[in-house]
Amino acid sequence: MLNAITEEFISFKPRLINLLHLFTLFSYALAQPLYDLLGRNAEFFAIRNNSAFDILFITAIITLFIPAIWTGLLYLLNRVHTPTSASVFHLTFIGLCLSLLLPLFHYPIKLYPVLSSGFLLLLCALLLHLYLIKKPIQLFLTYLSPGILIFPLLFLFNTPINLLLYKNDSIQHQLAPPQQSTTPVIFIVLDELPVTTLMAGPEQINVERFPAIASLAQHSTWYINTRSVAEYTTQAIPALLTGQRPDTKNHHQRKSLDINNWLNLPTYSQHPDNLFTYLSNSHRLHIYEGISSLCPDHLCDHVVSHTVTLKQKHEELIRDVMVVYLHIILPEQLRKKLPRIDMGWSEFVFNNFEDFNDELEDDDIRTFKLFTDSLNAESTAGLYFIHTSFPHSPWKYLPSGKLYSAESNNEVIEEGKHWQSGDSTLEPLQRHILQTMFADHLLTQVFDKLRQTGLYDKSLIILTADHGASFQTSEQFRVASARNIEEISDIPLLIKAPGQRHSVIKTTPVESIDIVPTIYELLNIPLPDKIDGTPAGLITTPDVNSHTIISKQGKTKTFDYSVNKKLVTLNWKLSLVGKSISDIYAGPDYGQLIGSRPDSKCSRQLESEHYIDTRQSHVEIDPEHNMLPIFIAFKSPFSQLTNNEVLGVTINEKLAAILMRDTATIVEDKIHAILDERQFSPGSNNIRLHAIQKHCGISP
């Protein structure tokens, strides 16, 4: 059989019909799976504010450009080398496409990659043999060739992508009120931030960790029982900016093909009646959406045009699409080596924690700088809006703004964002808090600029988040359940009225759809007709015992809701990470030891070289470098510790982390530690392990 296949390779002559087969197989192997996934997740393009040209560009790349490159190479080989080499090249590509169509490659259940690859090669050889000698198979591929055009046409016109191909600025929406408001509005929306992250106790914002937010609270009304109406950004942001519930929004706009996701796109065409259009007559718009495009082009010059060139945008789009496709076709064992695609909507390659380039600057940091620079006292009142992805995962920033690399996100949280059963969530919670502290650092720059320009006192300032996140073991990270509803739904909401100089805490049960009506009320302009929310000052319900939230799929879910349960969750978090900055690295019982030297009377140094490799035990710190090695993974020494000892990690003989058996993250006998960045010094740094007796050096 092998000799017959070899002869067929030699005698095979690529012809026009064979090139048609090449394009056909490519369409079924690569184009169709991508179109299917992207068509069901049109947010991939919407949150990037991709134009119709961008979508058509990537469609042309997928459908025509890649197989055309292969065809060009085939032509060159045929001209420069022997026809045999061109035939081998052509048949290799056909074999590759055939392999991608085999279910064995997609789902190698209980098979090792090497074994499944061996079976794959044999099957491909057999299929190639049949393709070469069986005319009916070649004819069958010819009949399948219309798929080359059918797949992209279905993608463009029979999925939610169709709604992104045109931007109709003449969409009918409610007219902006004739009244002219002279009050500047500063509206900041953080992402994936449960209110309990910010709290140091009941009705207390953690001043040490979040000084900027705490300073705003001193002059604001804190609606401490504010809840989001949606689990995911694509529904939460439109609900927040329109005051309309996702489940009641303009059902007549749904296309004839009843696809639920068609209502989930955070675009102007789907949500024309929003804060931006309603205030467009009275306010100059400075809009930095980031993960939506609710402001029409004729009112807003979208920020993406300021942050990246067209070439950069298309390069990032192609890279991310390639990562998505690899996640579709590769076996599970190999997918684990890829950048995560379930921790954000873009920059997948940049989000790969092991491949940082410290010269790169996150789009959200650039956007935040542009937003801060736009804050100016001007004759016309301004609406300054930003929705940033901070502190949304992937967690990669320290409070100082330095980057760090960490691998454990791939093990601790499964694809689909579900915490693995039985594993501690301390480390992800630590990293979430550190990135939230960095978001607070960016807010410090915003509030400083507002005070410098005189906008702070006279402006209406709103700080909130689109939704929360759950860190409870065995629960979904972002999907609400009866156990975690308070973490997913409860978000911060601080509103500083113009001239307000004192703090107020209100326990009024507010929903995210009530924020925009509250803004209209404080600006003294009439509420639109198409609105579900109520101004916070007019809500008379003293408390609620249930909450309704919309899932990513658009399903309505109602759970029992309890403020007391939120306080239970808060106390659980404080038991893990305490209240001080040092507590983040050691817990509340040992936080005071961070930065001190281990007490020689009740601690002993371990033979670190048995556990930490040389690269981690001795590190050089360049103060000009944007990376810090605060994350280390090393062989667990807990078996060498007594039950009365905890594990201490020192940097230059000063404690930088303390770990306990029951909360440490251990994967494949490797323990993960987050080190206090404040303990690093420029130049040489030595990392050592110590066994520390419980309560060693802690004053009663």
Side-chain angles (χ1 to χ4, degrees), residues 60 87 122 127 135 137 159 168 175 184 207 256-257 267 306 308 323 330 401 412 434 540 553 585 652 667 680 695:
S87 299
L122 290 175
L127 289 172
K135 296 298 181 183
I137 293 179
T159 71
N168 185 3
L175 296 176
V207 179
S256 57
L257 182 60
T267 61
H306 297 290
V308 295
V323 173
L330 290 181
V412 177
L434 293 174
T540 57
Q553 293 74 28
Y585 309 98
N652 299 328
V667 178
F680 282 101
H695 309 298

Side-chain angles (χ1 to χ4, degrees), residues 486-498:
E486 289 81 5
E487 286 186 279
I488 299 295
S489 66
D490 283 39
I491 55 176
L493 175 59
L494 299 172
I495 299 180
K496 190 198 80 66

Side-chain angles (χ1 to χ4, degrees), residues 283-444:
H283 287 70
R284 185 177 178 84
L285 303 182
H286 303 269
I287 310 301
Y288 299 85
E289 293 187 72
I291 310 181
S292 62
S293 55
L294 271 68
C295 192
D297 288 341
H298 71 278
L299 294 179
C300 299
D301 184 12
H302 284 281
V303 68
V304 69
S305 62
H306 297 290
T307 58
V308 295
T309 65
L310 183 65
K311 179 176 178 290
Q312 290 172 324
K313 184 168 71 168
H314 286 170
E315 286 177 351
E316 179 188 313
L317 181 60
I318 292 172
R319 285 197 304 268
D320 286 350
V321 168
M322 289 174 60
V323 173
V324 169
Y325 180 66
L326 290 175
H327 272 273
I328 295 174
I329 66 167
L330 290 181
E332 181 181 356
Q333 295 92 332
L334 298 180
R335 286 202 305 269
K336 291 181 179 180
K337 304 295 183 181
L338 295 172
R340 297 292 295 267
I341 62 173
D342 61 344
M343 306 299 286
W345 284 103
S346 61
E347 295 182 301
F348 299 142
V349 175
F350 182 73
N351 291 341
N352 187 8
F353 300 136
E354 298 179 9
D355 294 312
F356 271 116
N357 179 349
D358 65 319
E359 299 300 323
L360 290 174
E361 184 176 57
D362 192 284
D363 280 345
D364 272 286
I365 294 180
R366 289 197 295 264
T367 303
F368 230 107
K369 289 179 179 178
L370 290 170
F371 172 75
T372 305
D373 292 341
S374 73
L375 298 170
N376 290 296
E378 45 192 355
S379 56
T380 303
L383 168 59
Y384 302 89
F385 174 87
I386 183 171
H387 172 214
T388 175
S389 69
F390 292 123
H392 192 289
S393 54
W395 306 296
K396 55 193 177 186
Y397 282 99
L398 297 169
S400 63
K402 296 279 189 179
L403 289 162
Y404 66 96
S405 174
E407 63 185 26
S408 66
N409 217 45
N410 287 328
E411 294 99 9
V412 177
I413 186 170
E414 298 173 342
E415 273 195 65
K417 298 190 175 183
H418 195 289
W419 297 116
Q420 293 186 7
S421 177
D423 285 344
S424 170
T425 56
L426 171 61
E427 179 219 311
L429 181 59
Q430 290 173 304
R431 296 170 59 190
H432 163 72
I433 292 173
L434 293 174
Q435 189 142 304
T436 305
M437 291 172 65
F438 174 62
D440 186 84
H441 170 71
L442 295 174
L443 290 174
T444 299

